[in-house]
Amino acid sequence: MEMENTDSFADRLLCTALDVGEHILICGGDIHRVEDTITRICTAFGAEHTEAFAITSVIVASVRMPGGAYSHQMRRVYGSSNNMAELEALNSISRRLCAHEITLDEAQQAVKKARKERPYPWCVYCLGAVLAAGGFAVFFGGTVMDGVAAALVGILITLLDRLLPTSLNQMAHMVFNSVAAGMCAVLLVFFGVGSNIDKVMIGAIMLLIPGVAIGTSMQDLLGGELISGSIRFIQAVLLAAMIAFGFTLSLYAFRQLIAPDSAAGAADSLVVLLTSAVGTMGFALIFSTNLRHIPFAVLGGVVSCLVYLVCYEKLGANLFIANMCGALAGAWYAYGCARFRRAPRNIFTLACMIPLVPGGSLYYTMSNLISQNMQQAGAYAESTLLVALGIAAGMVLASVMTDFLRRVRTALMKKP
C-alpha cells in the first residue's frame, strides 16, 4: 500500500484527491460528493486529518499525515456540465483508490483518460435533443407536428452548441441560442410545420432552462449549504433570465408574423406519461448516461411524473405539494437505483426531476410580459417558483428521511 509521511507524499495525495473531486464537480456532481470523495481518498491513504470545502467555482482542501507532513491546495473551477458517463468513471476511480487497487499515479492517468473519452458520437447527442425537445412539446399539450417542429429546433440548438466558440461567455452563449431557437420556432410555425408556437418554444426551452439547477440550488439552501446554494441559484436565475430575454427578442422581432398562443389545455395523462419517457430518454442521451442505466433513468422520469399527476389531478393537491411528492418519489427511486446499480445517484436523480422542470410556466411568463399582461405574467412566475420550491423540498425531504433510516439501521446493528 502506497503510504509515506513526507510533505511530498502529502502533496501528491491531496493533488490526486483534488483531481478526482474537481472533475466530479465539473461533470455534474454535487458539493457534498466532492467534499466526501476528497476526504475518503485522503483517509484511505493514512491521513490523520482532512478538511475539504467546495462551492461551484472553488475547492479548498488540506491534509495532515500522522508524521506531521502537511499540504494545503486550492482549485479554481471554470464551468460545469452534466456528463454522467464521466461522473461514473470518476466514482469508480475513487472507489478503486480507496480500496488500494490503483496507485496515485495510476489514478491521475485514469482521470485524464476519463476526461478525454466521450461515450457517444455527436449524432447520438443530436438524437437526444430531438427526443427531448419533441417529446416535451407534446408533453405540454402540443400536437405531433408541434413535436416535429420542436425536434428541428433541438437539432439547431445542438449544432450551435457544437459550432459556437467555447471561449464565448456563458450568458452570451445562452442568449444567442435562445434568439436563434426562438426565430427558428416562429418561422417553422409560420410555414406550417407545427401550429402552436407556445408548445414548440416550450420544447426548445426545456433543452436550455436550468430547471434542475434551480431545484438543486434550493436543495442546497434548505440543506444548510448557504454559499453554494446561493451561487447556484443566482447562476440559474441569470441563465433563465437570458433564455427569457432571447426568446422574447425573437417573439418581438416576428410579432407581425405570428402572435404567441395562450396557454392551451394539457395533454391526456397517458400521453403525458409516454412523452415524459421519450423526453427523459432524450436528456439521458444528452447527459451521456451509460446505455445500461438509461432504462432505469427513463423509468425514474415516469415514476416522478406519475406521482405528480396523481397528486395534482386525482387528489387535487396544489403545485407545490404535487411537485414535492413527485420529487420525493423520484429521489427515493434514485436512491434505490443507485444502490442496486452501484452507480452515482445523480445519474438517476437528474432523470427523475426532468419531467417536473417548469419549462411551460417560464414560457408563459415571458409571453405575457410581451403582451403586457402583468397579472398573468406574475401568476406564471409564481407558479415557476412554486414548482422549483416543491422539487427542492421533495429532494431535501428524501435526503433527511434516508439519513434518518440509515442512522436507525446503524443503531439497531450495534445492539447486542
Side-chain angles (χ1 to χ4, degrees):
M1 186 168 63
E2 184 181 5
M3 285 191 189
E4 303 172 22
N5 286 323
T6 64
D7 288 339
S8 62
F9 178 74
D11 287 340
R12 287 176 56 223
L13 173 60
L14 187 56
C15 180
T16 303
L18 279 170
D19 281 344
V20 179
E22 175 190 3
H23 291 106
I24 285 177
L25 185 58
I26 290 172
C27 66
D30 56 66
I31 298 298
H32 175 73
R33 174 174 288 275
V34 172
E35 295 174 344
D36 185 62
T37 296
I38 294 170
T39 302
R40 284 177 180 271
I41 291 174
C42 293
T43 302
F45 279 82
E48 189 175 75
H49 184 74
T50 304
E51 292 287 352
F53 172 78
I55 57 176
T56 56
S57 56
V58 174
I59 306 174
V60 181
S62 61
V63 61
R64 185 175 69 246
M65 307 303 291
Y70 178 82
S71 180
H72 177 81
Q73 299 178 31
M74 183 185 77
R75 295 290 175 89
R76 178 74 168 88
V77 180
Y78 297 93
S80 63
S81 62
N82 291 308
N83 189 328
M84 298 299 104
E86 185 181 338
L87 180 62
E88 187 173 8
L90 292 166
N91 185 66
S92 176
I93 293 169
S94 173
R95 288 178 180 274
R96 293 173 66 196
L97 260 177
C98 292
H100 299 286
E101 295 175 1
I102 55 176
T103 65
L104 297 179
D105 291 336
E106 289 171 340
Q108 288 182 337
Q109 292 301 316
V111 169
K112 291 179 181 178
K113 182 179 179 182
R115 290 291 296 160
K116 292 179 181 178
E117 288 183 351
R118 290 292 178 269
Y120 304 125
W122 175 79
C123 60
V124 174
Y125 295 104
C126 196
L127 173 62
V130 166
L131 294 175
F136 280 111
V138 180
F139 175 91
F140 283 101
T143 65
V144 173
M145 289 307 297
D146 292 333
V148 172
L152 294 174
V153 178
I155 294 175
L156 173 65
I157 292 173
T158 308
L159 282 170
L160 290 175
D161 283 337
R162 185 178 178 86
L163 296 176
L164 289 175
T166 55
S167 59
L168 188 64
N169 178 276
Q170 187 182 20
M171 299 298 171
H173 184 104
M174 193 62 72
V175 171
F176 191 91
N177 270 356
S178 301
V179 170
M183 289 184 174
C184 180
V186 171
L187 290 173
L188 284 170
V189 172
F190 179 75
F191 287 110
V193 184
S195 55
N196 299 294
I197 185 62
D198 55 341
K199 309 306 180 187
V200 178
M201 283 196 170
I202 289 170
I205 285 173
M206 287 295 290
L207 291 177
L208 300 172
I209 184 174
V212 175
I214 293 175
T216 303
S217 67
M218 291 292 187
Q219 182 188 12
D220 288 343
L221 288 169
L222 294 176
E225 297 285 351
L226 299 181
I227 298 177
S228 60
S230 299
I231 293 173
R232 284 184 190 272
F233 181 74
I234 293 170
Q235 288 176 334
V237 169
L238 286 175
L239 286 175
M242 293 303 100
I243 293 169
F245 176 68
F247 276 93
T248 300
L249 281 180
S250 62
L251 285 172
Y252 188 78
F254 287 91
R255 64 189 183 281
Q256 300 299 329
L257 291 181
I258 185 168
D261 295 333
S262 59
D268 179 77
S269 295
L270 180 60
V271 174
V272 168
L273 289 176
L274 290 175
T275 51
S276 71
V278 173
T280 303
M281 180 180 292
F283 274 102
L285 293 174
I286 293 171
F287 292 161
S288 301
T289 305
N290 196 300
L291 281 175
R292 68 178 183 273
H293 297 315
I294 286 181
F296 298 91
V298 171
L299 181 58
V302 175
V303 166
S304 61
C305 182
L306 177 61
V307 172
Y308 166 82
L309 288 175
V310 170
C311 293
Y312 188 71
E313 296 185 357
K314 304 299 182 183
L315 302 180
N318 60 30
L319 274 178
F320 175 81
I321 297 297
N323 279 280
M324 184 186 72
C325 292
L328 176 61
W332 269 100
Y333 175 88
Y335 278 115
C337 270
R339 291 183 65 86
F340 175 67
R341 302 293 297 171
R342 293 185 63 83
R345 191 172 67 246
N346 275 29
I347 292 175
F348 308 103
T349 301
L350 285 177
C352 292
M353 300 306 137
I354 286 297
L356 304 178
V357 170
S361 56
L362 176 63
Y363 171 83
Y364 291 122
T365 299
M366 66 183 186
S367 176
N368 281 283
L369 283 174
I370 293 172
S371 303
Q372 297 185 351
N373 189 343
M374 298 305 171
Q375 184 175 0
Q376 283 294 320
Y380 280 113
E382 181 182 352
S383 296
T384 304
L385 182 60
L386 284 174
V387 171
L389 286 172
I391 294 172
M395 295 171 70
V396 170
L397 185 58
S399 178
V400 170
M401 292 170 66
T402 302
D403 184 62
F404 174 75
L405 292 175
R406 187 184 295 116
R407 291 175 183 272
V408 170
R409 179 185 176 187
T410 302
L412 291 174
M413 290 177 65
K414 287 182 178 180
K415 287 185 177 182

